Amino acid sequence: LQGMADLAAIAAARDIGNAQAAAQATASNNGWDGAVTASVVTGAYLASPEVAPADRFVAGGADNNAARVTLSA
């Protein structure tokens, strides 16, 4: 399930304006046996070694460049 969540997050970040739909479509079409639901939070990611990994994603804002995806099956 983690690999599917990673793929869904990449799809969501690639199409940030349609992040929910992109994540759901990717999750649904990647071979999980049963229904899967994607929950998406868009925000900004700062790839800086000076920032703790847990603090690099900030939800919301105007300049979204990333998505956090949680899948439930």
Side-chain angles (χ1 to χ4, degrees):
L1 199 55
Q2 182 62 54
M4 287 176 58
D6 293 344
L7 288 172
I10 291 167
R14 183 172 175 234
D15 190 1
I16 218 70
N18 297 302
Q20 179 66 47
Q24 185 64 55
T26 300
S28 295
N29 292 321
N30 272 285
W32 186 260
D33 188 24
V36 102
T37 302
S39 173
V40 178
V41 176
T42 57
Y45 181 80
L46 177 63
S48 171
E50 292 141 8
V51 177
D55 297 330
R56 293 180 187 169
F57 178 81
V58 178
D63 294 323
N64 294 336
N65 66 358
R68 177 183 293 149
V69 174
T70 305
L71 298 181
S72 56

